Amino acid sequence: MRFDLIDYFQKLNFIYSYFIKNNFSEEKMYKKILNDKSVVIDVGSNLGNFVNLVKKTNKSCFVHSIEPNKELIINQKKKFKKYNNIKFHNFAINAVNGECEFYIRKPHSHSSLNKEHPDAEFNEIISVENVNTFTIESFLNEQQINEVTLLKLDSEGSDFDILTSCKKILSLRKIKYIKIEATKKNLTSIMKFAEDNNLFLIGINNLFHYKNSLNMLDLYLENKN
């Protein structure tokens, strides 16, 4: 599917028909693309649900779990203690290197670097902490990672900015596949960036609607550079 269908993609009926027609399975995708030498990066790992799914698919691939909430990282270390091929990082990924305020919300899954949240009525800020931030490119250089099989982005509002900061390394095909959370606010921008940078849509999942409107969904992109 090409991204020149962007206007239709935003319409709920089209999304449903695409979803049903292609019968996309996240788990089947991972079984196809992951092998024992794969490197997976989970940005915004939260409770570790994505890490758990990846490990169910391939126990041998190496996972970098990145989460700025220290409490959640501690919980993940306990949860995944049987694995020696998961590395936990207690900082945030952003479009720039530096330091930023991190707004911890209830529930924790809505915590983000942004004070404003599109679903503010469903959460509340319970604390604010300063966290270090790194770009994906800086992180790859620091960890000496030459190729990422799968990059998952779920940063509650910063996903598009992080994606655009990856433009150079995407052109070098250092990242093969991307899972990114899109919202009604940034969906068009993500799709346009993908079209301009040779990223192809291969699936959608986890559609969430509120008040008869598409609120968010996950996009799965393949780097064709």
Side-chain angles (χ1 to χ4, degrees):
M1 175 182 175
R2 289 293 300 173
F3 287 121
D4 53 4
L5 293 174
I6 184 172
D7 292 334
Y8 295 98
F9 184 81
Q10 295 178 79
K11 296 181 179 179
L12 187 57
N13 289 336
F14 177 79
I15 292 175
Y16 268 129
S17 64
Y18 180 87
F19 180 67
I20 295 172
K21 179 181 177 181
N22 287 270
N23 193 27
F24 176 77
S25 167
E26 183 177 6
E27 189 168 349
K28 286 181 180 179
M29 172 189 166
Y30 298 160
K31 286 181 179 179
K32 181 179 179 180
I33 69 173
L34 297 179
N35 58 53
D36 294 353
K37 295 183 179 180
S38 294
V39 174
V40 177
I41 299 178
D42 184 357
V43 175
S45 55
N46 200 257
L47 297 173
N49 293 334
F50 176 78
V51 176
N52 189 56
L53 177 59
V54 167
K55 285 302 178 183
K56 279 178 59 180
T57 305
N58 187 298
K59 292 182 171 63
S60 299
C61 66
F62 198 96
V63 178
H64 290 272
S65 174
I66 304 174
E67 170 57 50
N69 188 323
K70 186 176 182 179
E71 179 183 345
L72 297 183
I73 283 291
I74 292 173
N75 290 338
Q76 282 190 47
K77 288 180 178 179
K78 294 177 182 177
K79 181 177 181 179
F80 300 113
K81 62 182 179 181
K82 68 178 181 180
Y83 293 105
N84 59 10
N85 56 359
I86 302 177
K87 190 170 184 179
F88 303 95
H89 307 273
N90 184 212
F91 51 73
I93 294 294
N94 202 2
V96 294
N97 297 319
E99 189 176 280
C100 195
E101 289 185 329
F102 179 62
Y103 296 88
I104 299 178
R105 292 179 166 87
K106 185 179 180 181
H108 285 303
S109 59
H110 286 192
S111 300
S112 73
L113 300 177
N114 301 308
K115 187 174 183 179
E116 304 299 325
H117 194 283
D119 298 320
E121 61 184 297
F122 299 120
N123 62 64
E124 62 175 320
I125 297 174
I126 57 177
S127 64
V128 182
E129 298 180 359
N130 288 328
V131 297
N132 293 322
T133 65
F134 300 91
T135 65
I136 289 292
E137 184 172 4
S138 294
F139 177 75
L140 297 188
N141 290 336
E142 195 272 333
Q143 296 293 318
Q144 298 182 333
I145 300 172
N146 294 318
E147 183 180 87
V148 177
T149 303
L150 176 61
L151 169 66
K152 172 233 162 185
L153 298 176
D154 184 359
S155 60
E156 294 295 308
S158 302
D159 304 288
F160 176 66
D161 292 335
I162 295 172
L163 180 65
T164 57
S165 74
C166 295
K167 184 174 182 177
K168 177 182 177 181
I169 54 179
L170 285 170
S171 68
L172 298 173
R173 208 168 185 271
K174 289 191 174 184
I175 301 171
K176 290 184 175 181
Y177 296 90
I178 298 172
K179 172 185 178 180
I180 182 170
E181 183 180 81
T183 67
K184 58 186 177 182
K185 182 178 179 180
N186 65 20
L187 176 59
T188 300
S189 298
I190 291 174
M191 298 290 281
K192 183 63 169 62
F193 177 85
E195 182 180 23
D196 292 343
N197 291 276
N198 216 19
L199 305 178
F200 280 61
L201 178 69
I202 57 175
I204 60 174
N205 205 352
N206 300 323
L207 288 79
F208 175 73
H209 310 93
Y210 180 64
K211 294 182 178 179
N212 296 318
S213 175
L214 175 66
N215 198 49
M216 64 180 62
L217 73 161
D218 289 332
L219 304 176
Y220 299 80
L221 308 171
E222 181 179 1
N223 186 353
K224 292 286 190 176
N225 286 294

